[in-house]
Amino acid sequence: MCGILSYYSKSKITLTELQNFKNSLNSIKHRGPDGEGIVLINSESGDYKIVNTIDTPIEFSSKTDFNQNDDFNLILGHRRLKILDLSNNAHQPMNFNKIWLTYNGEIYNYLEIRNELKLLGYDFITSSDTEVLLKAYDYWGVKCLEKFNGMWSFVLWDGNKKEIVISNDRFGIKPLYKYSTQKIKIYFSEIKQIKSFKKEQITLNQKNCKLFLNNGYQPFDSETYFDEISRFKKGAYEIVNPKKDLSTTKKYYYLDFKEDNDFSMSETLEEFNNLFQDAVSLRTRSDVEIGIAISGGVDSSLVLERFTNLNSFKNTDFQSFSAIFPNTDSDESFFINKLLEQFQLKSNFINPLEFLDEDSFKAHILAIEFPPSSMAYFSQYILNKLISKCNVKVNLGGQGADEIFGGYHKHVYVYLRSLIIRGKIIKYLSEARSFSKLKRISLINLHKIILDDIVTLYSFKLGLKEIDNCLLKYTFKIDKLSEYLLSDFNTLTLPVFLKADDGNSMAFGVETRLPFMDYRIVKLGFSMPENFKIFNGWNKYILRKSFKKINSEIKWRKDKKGFTSPFKEMSSKIFNKDDISDKEFRKYSLDVFKDSFT
């Protein structure tokens, strides 16, 4: 896990541009405190020169400095966080056979691909996944992307084809941003990096600022809060041909699913258990210590259970990390302690309330690079600070499960709504009764909510009613749970969580790994029938059924908190008053964000 930067110009790189590049790369030292590398490349001749910095390993340093007579128009830069192969052999940018690579992420199945490449005649001088990626590209070209199981963003110079290749992982887990004009193209890991390029102006996207302020909408599918900066397309690659002055972007992955009703619950459960165990196992490949963030909820508890199944697991060496909020409704200490009683981990706790003030909140916004609509992201920020303090560099998390397996209450409402629309009234009545009993909601009130929803849905579809809220307008186009989950996964919720995950963890040099985001789990989750996800009033039903040794109090936990934080108590510390409205909080967040980035 690292930070990357690439700068391509149609003109010769100047000393000023190189200095701006160095400053930009240094601005993300937190992402990669273990080393730095910069290489200059001439896209026509293929000539290159290493640029020395204070953090460049001595064995990779250059004997000559850059001068104004040098003719280069491409710069690749890298900040390294050592996770695999802790030696300097895995330094980046890495080169092989006229190919240079700067890469951020992890290819979890790198050992399997490495063995395949060995049979094809390749030798390896490191034990890193970086070298595997580089040589996989050398052999398969961009087809190698389809073989990778992991998270990544990278920029690669192919000196054989004289092309620049840029790619992001299937789901955009690792952020990659783009700034492009007629003269230059810049690709980078964090938005703040662009501020070092003094000539490049950025302006706030007023539309997105307004959408956030009014509706809490976050633009993290392809847009950002700046007009000139876009989010690189997930599941895609771009090829830039400097000689032809051409740039083409293509998708290599589509989440194209179709519900498969041929499998029984038991068959699907067996397949999920096998895949998820392997997904967790792959994500424990590391040369540094691994920890886990646990909340006492279904998702992190399932990750923990599967990790304890591994032969490498020793509870005396394994640390867990939890945010707690004593004496508030958001505190999950009871469930966390139930897990700790069962697995006896070396546990670490922190109360984010104790660290909250204006300065820490601003630092947190600078890390996540967007205005938050809740305090949950701040709690995650403080938790990662604790993880780093305990010298843990890799953290397992449960992100993605809710969007794949129907983890939110709204998903149950959508499912109930869809049952009526499809004429499955008996099934609807059964599920509604079960849900009302579990959540202690009046069945009459639940019927009223669902029926009002259906009236609004068809009034909107028939053009009889206008909806101001852009989020409602978006979701009322959807009347199937599977489509709703897909919108949450691709657009509405998960991209925001992934961005916060990356910003909050990398601010402290911590790599977050997410087993539920394994592309095989995602494909299986979106292909299984809806009633495997919501059944007898329970959401994430198949996940609950997959537990093998977790106690029943967590397995059949009725409340849904996620990474909830006590909004009232936390916001009052900043505003010095109670009863802060959601919009008032969003305005404050947006103002802090604007001050930090403009």
Side-chain angles (χ1 to χ4, degrees):
M1 187 69 69
C2 311
I4 66 174
L5 178 62
S6 168
Y7 184 93
Y8 163 70
S9 175
K10 291 182 180 179
S11 305
K12 185 171 74 170
I13 299 292
T14 66
L15 183 60
T16 299
E17 286 175 304
L18 178 58
Q19 188 56 53
N20 289 342
F21 186 95
K22 288 181 178 181
N23 294 339
S24 178
L25 194 59
N26 190 62
S27 72
I28 56 165
K29 187 173 182 177
H30 50 272
R31 295 187 72 91
D34 300 327
E36 182 177 54
I38 298 175
V39 61
L40 290 157
I41 297 170
N42 182 304
S43 66
E44 186 172 343
S45 66
D47 293 340
Y48 68 88
K49 175 182 280 190
I50 302 296
V51 176
N52 295 330
T53 75
I54 192 171
D55 291 330
T56 302
I58 187 68
E59 58 265 48
F60 289 94
S61 60
S62 173
K63 296 179 180 179
T64 59
D65 293 325
F66 176 81
N67 63 72
Q68 293 287 12
N69 294 323
D70 284 340
D71 188 7
F72 301 104
N73 66 329
L74 172 64
I75 322 177
L76 300 182
H78 187 265
R79 291 286 334 184
R80 186 181 179 201
L81 177 65
K82 293 180 179 179
I83 301 293
L84 294 172
D85 191 339
L86 305 186
S87 74
N88 286 333
N89 290 333
H91 172 74
Q92 294 185 52
M94 185 182 287
N95 74 315
F96 172 75
N97 191 24
K98 299 182 181 180
I99 304 168
W100 283 92
L101 171 69
T102 179
Y103 149 63
N104 169 32
E106 298 288 353
I107 307 300
Y108 300 120
N109 62 334
Y110 73 102
L111 292 178
E112 289 77 8
I113 298 173
R114 176 191 173 109
N115 289 336
E116 189 175 353
L117 288 166
K118 280 185 174 181
L119 293 174
L120 292 167
Y122 285 86
D123 295 320
F124 290 84
I125 60 174
T126 77
S127 57
S128 71
D129 60 330
T130 305
E131 187 180 8
V132 172
L133 193 164
L134 189 57
K135 291 178 178 178
Y137 173 82
D138 180 68
Y139 186 78
W140 289 294
V142 292
K143 286 286 186 182
C144 70
L145 301 172
E146 299 171 16
K147 300 179 75 70
F148 297 155
N149 185 344
M151 53 183 184
W152 68 84
S153 59
F154 69 73
V155 180
L156 175 151
W157 165 250
D158 187 334
N160 299 297
K161 296 181 178 179
K162 298 292 194 298
E163 293 176 339
I164 307 167
V165 181
I166 308 97
S167 177
N168 200 195
D169 62 66
R170 291 174 179 83
F171 310 120
I173 302 172
K174 285 294 98 190
L176 181 60
Y177 299 97
K178 178 179 179 179
Y179 177 98
S180 181
T181 69
Q182 290 294 323
K183 296 182 179 180
I184 63 168
K185 292 181 185 292
I186 310 176
Y187 301 88
F188 42 102
S189 294
E190 294 189 8
I191 290 171
K192 62 179 68 69
Q193 290 176 256
I194 204 67
K195 295 169 68 176
S196 297
F197 296 97
K198 305 300 183 183
K199 287 185 178 180
E200 313 310 327
Q201 300 299 311
I202 57 173
T203 53
L204 280 167
N205 185 310
Q206 297 299 333
K207 178 199 73 173
N208 287 335
C209 288
K210 185 177 179 181
L211 285 172
F212 170 75
L213 183 62
N214 293 334
N215 309 129
Y217 174 77
Q218 300 283 11
F220 294 130
D221 184 18
S222 58
E223 295 183 344
T224 69
Y225 278 97
F226 299 95
D227 291 319
E228 298 84 1
I229 299 175
S230 60
R231 182 85 183 255
F232 194 87
K233 289 184 178 180
K234 55 198 170 194
Y237 65 88
E238 180 181 0
I239 296 179
V240 178
N241 187 313
K243 188 173 184 179
K244 296 180 180 179
D245 195 20
L246 289 176
S247 177
T248 57
T249 301
K250 294 183 179 180
K251 293 277 288 182
Y252 65 87
Y253 176 82
Y254 293 90
L255 183 50
D256 187 18
F257 72 94
K258 183 178 181 181
E259 285 184 37
D260 190 343
N261 295 297
D262 293 335
F263 289 92
S264 66
M265 170 66 82
S266 60
E267 290 173 318
T268 304
L269 194 58
E270 181 180 6
E271 183 177 1
F272 171 80
N273 281 328
N274 292 335
L275 286 178
F276 194 68
Q277 184 65 62
D278 189 56
V280 172
S281 177
L282 288 177
R283 283 158 183 78
T284 61
R285 290 175 170 176
S286 171
D287 293 330
V288 295
E289 186 177 347
I290 297 176
I292 185 170
I294 57 173
S295 65
V298 170
D299 310 336
S300 61
S301 298
L302 188 56
V303 175
L304 174 60
E305 182 188 86
R306 298 308 157 88
F307 189 33
T308 62
N309 288 341
L310 301 175
N311 293 330
S312 59
F313 174 75
K314 295 179 181 178
N315 58 1
T316 54
D317 300 332
F318 189 53
Q319 298 190 63
S320 69
F321 302 89
S322 304
I324 58 172
F325 304 93
N327 304 313
T328 72
D329 292 338
S330 297
D331 187 57
E332 299 189 79
S333 297
F334 172 82
F335 296 101
I336 295 168
N337 288 329
K338 284 292 180 183
L339 281 173
L340 295 175
E341 287 173 12
Q342 184 172 356
F343 294 103
Q344 299 180 349
L345 309 175
K346 182 180 178 181
S347 55
N348 301 274
F349 299 92
I350 196 164
N351 183 354
L353 259 168
E354 296 176 356
F355 298 85
L356 178 61
D357 56 33
E358 285 193 17
D359 288 340
S360 60
F361 187 75
K362 290 176 182 178
H364 143 67
I365 287 185
L366 191 62
I368 63 174
E369 301 187 320
F370 67 87
S373 56
S374 80
M375 281 294 185
Y377 304 117
F378 177 81
S379 298
Q380 186 187 54
Y381 174 79
I382 295 299
L383 187 65
N384 276 282
K385 188 174 184 178
L386 173 64
I387 295 171
S388 177
K389 186 178 179 181
C390 293
N391 297 314
V392 172
K393 283 190 173 184
V394 174
N395 176 49
L396 298 176
Q399 199 67 266
D402 288 320
E403 290 77 13
I404 301 169
F405 297 100
Y408 301 121
H409 290 164
K410 65 177 182 178
H411 295 149
V412 179
Y413 292 129
V414 171
Y415 181 57
L416 293 175
R417 186 176 79 190
S418 71
L419 289 175
I420 293 180
I421 291 172
R422 288 181 285 170
K424 298 185 177 183
I425 307 303
I426 295 176
K427 177 67 172 172
Y428 163 77
L429 292 172
S430 173
E431 287 291 344
R433 276 195 298 270
S434 297
F435 185 69
S436 68
K437 185 177 180 180
L438 279 174
K439 302 300 180 181
R440 296 181 180 178
I441 302 171
S442 163
L443 185 57
I444 294 174
N445 288 341
L446 180 59
H447 288 325
K448 186 176 185 306
I449 291 170
I450 301 302
L451 292 174
D452 285 348
D453 242 13
I454 292 173
V455 170
T456 303
L457 171 69
Y458 279 98
S459 296
F460 172 70
K461 285 191 171 187
L462 295 171
L464 302 175
K465 185 173 184 177
E466 282 295 321
I467 300 176
D468 300 352
N469 189 311
C470 73
L471 294 181
L472 290 178
K473 189 178 289 188
Y474 186 90
T475 56
F476 270 116
K477 293 179 181 178
I478 300 168
D479 52 21
K480 278 194 73 176
L481 174 62
S482 55
E483 293 174 1
Y484 197 102
L485 291 174
L486 191 61
S487 71
D488 275 354
F489 186 89
N490 281 331
T491 307
L492 294 180
T493 60
L494 188 60
V496 187
F497 296 147
L498 292 177
K499 178 165 174 56
D501 242 357
D502 179 82
N504 280 328
S505 60
M506 292 307 293
F508 301 103
V510 175
E511 173 178 294
T512 302
R513 296 182 174 182
L514 308 171
F516 285 106
M517 295 299 294
D518 187 300
Y519 75 95
R520 299 168 300 170
I521 299 296
V522 175
K523 182 179 179 181
L524 176 63
F526 277 105
S527 63
M528 67 177 58
E530 295 176 341
N531 65 316
F532 287 12
K533 301 174 185 181
I534 296 175
F535 184 74
N536 283 346
W538 294 100
N539 59 3
K540 290 191 286 197
Y541 183 75
I542 195 166
L543 298 190
R544 298 175 191 273
K545 290 287 288 184
S546 68
F547 279 120
K548 296 181 179 179
K549 52 187 177 182
I550 292 288
N551 65 72
S552 60
E553 286 170 295
I554 291 175
K555 180 176 182 178
W556 300 111
R557 184 176 169 181
K558 296 179 182 180
D559 62 327
K560 165 65 182 174
K561 282 192 170 70
F563 204 79
T564 305
S565 299
F567 178 79
K568 181 179 178 180
E569 290 86 348
M570 295 182 80
S571 58
S572 64
K573 284 196 71 173
I574 292 179
F575 288 86
N576 294 316
K577 65 175 184 177
D578 295 330
D579 301 322
I580 308 301
S581 70
D582 289 344
K583 188 167 185 178
E584 188 176 4
F585 180 79
R586 290 199 298 266
K587 184 180 185 307
Y588 174 75
S589 293
L590 186 59
D591 288 342
V592 173
F593 172 77
K594 289 178 178 178
D595 289 342
S596 300
F597 284 91
T598 56

